Amino acid sequence: MENLKGKVALITGGTKGIGYGIAEALLNKGVKVVITSRAKSAAESAAKELASKTNALDAIIGVEADVRDLKSQEAAVKEAIAKFGALDIVIANAGLGHFASIEDLTEQQWKDTIDTNLTGAFNSIKASVAELKKSKGYYITISSLAGANFFAGGSAYNASKFGVTGFTQAVMLDLRQHGIKVSTIMPGSVSTHFNGNEPSDEQAWKIQSEDIGELVIDLLKMNPRTLPSKIEVRPTTPPSK
């Protein structure tokens, strides 16, 4: 995908944070973008804001879709095709985190985390694989360094992200003979609103959402013969403890 202009991308959870940063980066390269959210108003509002910021008024739409539901994801793919005529890139970004000791973690918190982070990644590729085979496209999941490093209070989040990392690598082996590239990005500390964080100047040391956007562009423009299948990303200089 050396020339990204005119390609079509679907980004789950694209209304803020990493998904928003990726959407902005893609729009600035001439990619047509569909962002999703569980809330239609949030998806449409973010799409309008991104269109204004990137001067891409006819190149982005916001769609209501729930990654936990396969039929909802299939409907989002159909909407992307109906609007833009193809699908070249799918970014499985939607995610959430519940953090507590196993003694305190509720069954619902466990299900919410697994269903959104892991089953959501499954639903995203199941809904789009036929279109990506046609376009010889690219499927990218946003995992986490928590998908390789466990920590106390992270049983649900660790399980979901370890799962996303392994799932994506297996999918890569399944699909590369079809000409579909598959990668997972594993960020460390990112300055977003995730888990109640409030971005501020004091967090300038953290990875910024636009940095992940730049990384996605780099992956898409990589020579077709080369596939960085798993990428760990961390802040260069975190504060001293």
Side-chain angles (χ1 to χ4, degrees):
M1 293 189 191
E2 291 184 11
N3 182 9
L4 296 178
K5 188 174 178 61
K7 299 295 185 183
V8 181
L10 172 66
I11 305 171
T12 68
T15 63
K16 57 187 176 180
I18 289 174
Y20 187 98
I22 294 171
E24 185 172 359
L26 291 174
L27 287 165
N28 282 328
K29 293 296 183 181
V31 177
K32 298 172 183 176
V33 174
V34 179
I35 57 172
T36 74
S37 171
R38 293 181 194 174
K40 183 177 181 179
S41 59
E44 292 178 345
S45 176
K48 184 176 179 180
E49 182 177 275
L50 281 162
S52 178
K53 286 178 69 175
T54 60
N55 196 29
L57 300 181
D58 297 319
I60 180 169
I61 58 171
V63 172
E64 179 183 4
D66 187 341
V67 296
R68 300 172 298 179
D69 180 71
L70 178 57
K71 290 188 182 302
S72 182
Q73 278 301 103
E74 289 172 342
V77 169
K78 288 178 181 176
E79 199 155 346
I81 300 298
K83 175 65 177 179
F84 297 124
L87 185 60
D88 304 285
I89 304 156
V90 174
I91 313 287
N93 165 75
L96 56 79
H98 292 293
F99 302 94
S101 164
I102 190 61
E103 296 177 284
D104 301 317
L105 188 76
T106 68
E107 180 184 14
Q108 191 58 51
Q109 288 173 326
W110 169 268
K111 287 178 64 65
D112 285 347
T113 306
I114 299 298
D115 290 351
T116 301
N117 297 359
L118 181 53
T119 303
F122 167 84
N123 288 339
S124 296
I125 189 61
K126 285 295 285 186
S128 61
V129 66
E131 295 300 328
L132 292 180
K133 285 173 73 173
K134 292 177 188 175
S135 63
K136 296 192 181 300
Y138 211 135
Y139 176 61
I140 298 173
T141 63
I142 305 301
S143 184
S144 169
L145 289 182
N149 305 287
F150 50 83
F151 53 88
S155 57
Y157 193 70
N158 283 142
S160 71
K161 291 302 186 178
F162 268 73
V164 169
T165 301
F167 168 78
T168 311
Q169 296 297 280
V171 169
M172 178 268 294
L173 296 177
D174 287 342
L175 297 183
R176 60 182 175 174
Q177 296 303 324
H178 295 291
I180 301 173
K181 281 189 164 188
V182 179
S183 300
T184 189
I185 299 173
M186 304 170 68
S189 298
V190 184
S191 181
T192 70
H193 290 90
F194 182 78
N195 197 36
N197 178 65
E198 190 64 36
S200 65
D201 292 342
E202 287 72 32
Q203 295 183 3
W205 61 271
K206 289 186 176 182
I207 301 165
Q208 304 298 307
S209 58
E210 58 264 32
D211 301 336
I212 305 300
E214 289 181 16
L215 177 54
V216 168
I217 298 298
D218 289 342
L219 286 173
L220 295 174
K221 294 187 123 183
M222 182 70 66
N223 191 294
R225 66 174 172 258
T226 302
L227 176 62
S229 58
K230 182 171 67 173
I231 304 97
E232 293 190 359
V233 191
R234 47 181 50 81
T236 302
T237 310
S240 300
K241 293 183 179 180

